[in-house]
Amino acid sequence: MRVIADLHIHGRYSRATSSQMNLLEIARYSKIKGLNLVGTGDFTQPDWLKEIKQTLTPVADTGLLRVVDKPDFQTRFMLTTEVCTIFDYKNSSKKVHHVILAPSFEVVEQLNERLARFGDLASDGRPLLNMTAPQLVEEVMAVSNWNMVFPAHAWTPWFSLFGAFSGFDSIDDCYQDMTKHIFALETGLSSDPAMNWRLSSLDRFTLLSNSDCHSFWPWRIGREANVFELTQFTYNQVIDTIKTHDSTRLKFTIETDPAYGKYHWTGHRNCKISYPPAEAIKFANICPVCRRRLTKGVEQRVEELADRPSDFKREGAPTFMRLLPLSEIISAFVGVDSPSTQTVWNKYYALIDTFGDEYSVLIDAPQEALAAVVDVSLAETIVKVREGALHVTPGYDGVYGQLVLDAPSLSNVKIKSAVKRVQQLNMSDFW
């Protein structure tokens, strides 16, 4: 069966997260999106874990959970969390975020008891832990061999494994002797598999994509995801697929264009300056306007560490598909500032009611079938996004990329600035 999984989200007890980010809303919008597996997020936070136990119940012999007494919610949940480790390494302070997956409440309770020695788990859904990355992995794996740890949003400038400001140059440097327990990394919004293929040292790791969302809206949850083809819908089979780098079961990942991410190019938003790697290097990564250091973008950071050309393709690896949330496509098409306007919702739900969920619209629905529900030009727009006819002016220093649809036959369609749109929303889910 096809399983579309978003394994990294946050609950309402995480910093800068929607107060309405509860499990019922997550389940409701996961169904609308087409996700049939989603992380619980934040199982280290005591109040959130209590809500998880009250709202979800184990599905027998699967290691997954479902909503209690809601048979129409078919989405399964996996116990997940994100933590931040803070430690010194070679006279430099390192702050690295990690995603943890666990198979049961019993394992989670044991793990939380261990991690509570290193920080206040109640302080935030994503707690700060005073321990090294190797220590974290050692503690997690000591509880269960079926637990999994992988670096979150591995390339963002701050709080990531390869981060330009507090990261490492290799996974081995970060996790040291515990690297043997690291089987994957999360690419984040500002990078995609093709960028990661440029580092031969990453060939042994499975590349995962998740939303890291802080709200349940369909333009947030599932904006990046992993598409599995499994014979058994179980926690163990998902973990085994990741551990064995099995491209017959992990078929592809769903990606936004990496240029859409807020840290793709190097730049300085206060001065409205952004550069591709070669140009940033010419300026020695110094803003020519204010003379302060530029925020080094993910593309430049990849270029620094890459040992392969930009067109390298890793043979046998899962492929990927670049998509844009359907709400974003519609709002750009009709020329409104926000995906949450009634004009957008009307067209959105007309498509969802016909095709079942958002991914079916974005990935599977033929253009002719789409045109029977919405006007022909919007149907054409959706298919052009699917086919990769989407150009993005790269994001930088916390500013999202500007989406531009390459559609000559639709030249009369007003495409608004995505940067303006997203700045008017709650864009706190940026890690």
Side-chain angles (χ1 to χ4, degrees), residues 55-354:
T55 309
L56 305 179
T57 186
V59 180
D61 302 319
T62 66
L64 304 175
L65 310 168
R66 64 171 176 82
V67 178
V68 176
D69 298 328
K70 292 284 186 180
D72 55 321
F73 288 165
Q74 296 298 311
T75 300
R76 298 292 184 253
F77 284 81
M78 180 184 291
L79 287 161
T80 65
T81 196
E82 181 185 9
V83 301
C84 175
T85 55
I86 302 177
F87 57 101
D88 290 331
Y89 177 81
K90 294 184 177 180
N91 299 317
S92 175
S93 178
K94 304 295 184 182
K95 300 176 182 179
V96 181
H97 287 191
H98 319 260
V99 177
I100 305 173
L101 314 179
S104 70
F105 285 126
E106 180 182 6
V107 167
V108 163
E109 287 164 357
Q110 293 178 43
L111 181 55
N112 286 351
E113 184 177 351
R114 285 175 172 266
L115 296 183
R117 305 197 310 267
F118 302 94
D120 182 4
L121 301 188
S123 63
D124 188 7
R126 181 185 55 220
L128 303 179
L129 303 178
N130 293 304
M131 63 193 308
T132 68
Q135 279 181 297
L136 172 69
V137 177
E138 185 174 19
E139 294 289 343
V140 171
M141 300 312 297
V143 176
S144 172
N145 285 330
W146 281 104
N147 287 337
M148 176 167 280
V149 183
F150 55 83
H153 42 77
W155 291 96
T156 52
W158 292 278
F159 306 107
S160 73
L161 185 145
F162 292 124
F165 295 130
S166 66
F168 296 84
D169 289 346
S170 75
I171 290 182
D172 294 278
D173 285 345
C174 179
Y175 292 104
Q176 300 174 43
D177 61 334
M178 290 292 106
T179 304
K180 62 187 177 184
H181 295 297
I182 304 299
F183 296 95
L185 65 84
E186 183 181 76
T187 57
L189 293 184
S190 292
S191 87
D192 65 10
M195 295 171 68
N196 287 265
W197 292 340
R198 298 189 60 195
L199 278 70
S200 60
S201 62
L202 300 184
D203 287 355
R204 56 192 162 129
F205 302 99
T206 298
L207 302 177
L208 299 176
S209 295
N210 302 294
S211 71
D212 192 6
C213 68
H214 289 60
S215 73
F216 49 77
W217 298 118
W219 53 90
R220 291 290 172 266
I221 194 166
R223 59 186 172 184
E224 296 204 326
N226 312 279
V227 181
F228 297 89
E229 192 66 41
L230 304 178
T231 57
Q232 297 178 317
F233 193 0
T234 65
Y235 175 92
N236 285 3
Q237 190 156 123
V238 172
I239 298 303
D240 184 67
T241 299
I242 296 170
K243 283 186 174 182
T244 57
H245 320 299
D246 187 350
S247 60
T248 67
R249 290 186 290 180
L250 177 56
K251 305 301 289 186
F252 62 94
T253 55
I254 294 171
E255 312 278 340
T256 60
D257 189 309
Y260 178 68
K262 299 204 298 187
Y263 296 99
H264 188 66
W265 268 10
T266 297
H268 187 195
R269 65 176 158 184
N270 288 344
C271 298
K272 297 181 172 57
I273 294 291
S274 66
Y275 297 110
E279 291 298 313
I281 292 170
K282 287 182 182 179
F283 286 100
N285 292 321
I286 298 297
C287 178
V289 176
C290 69
R291 309 306 298 170
R292 295 181 180 180
R293 182 173 59 166
L294 296 169
T295 299
K296 187 181 294 183
V298 170
E299 188 173 61
Q300 183 175 346
R301 183 68 173 139
V302 170
E303 195 68 44
E304 289 176 350
L305 300 180
D307 58 353
R308 288 168 171 163
S310 58
D311 60 352
F312 180 85
K313 183 174 182 179
R314 198 173 117 194
E315 292 298 326
T319 185
F320 62 95
M321 173 181 284
R322 287 179 177 170
L323 295 175
L324 180 68
L326 180 60
S327 307
E328 296 265 10
I329 297 171
I330 298 171
S331 62
F333 177 82
V334 300
V336 297
D337 290 334
S338 171
S340 64
T341 62
Q342 195 59 49
T343 300
V344 173
W345 281 124
N346 289 343
K347 295 180 182 296
Y348 182 89
Y349 277 115
L351 290 164
I352 301 306
D353 290 345
T354 302

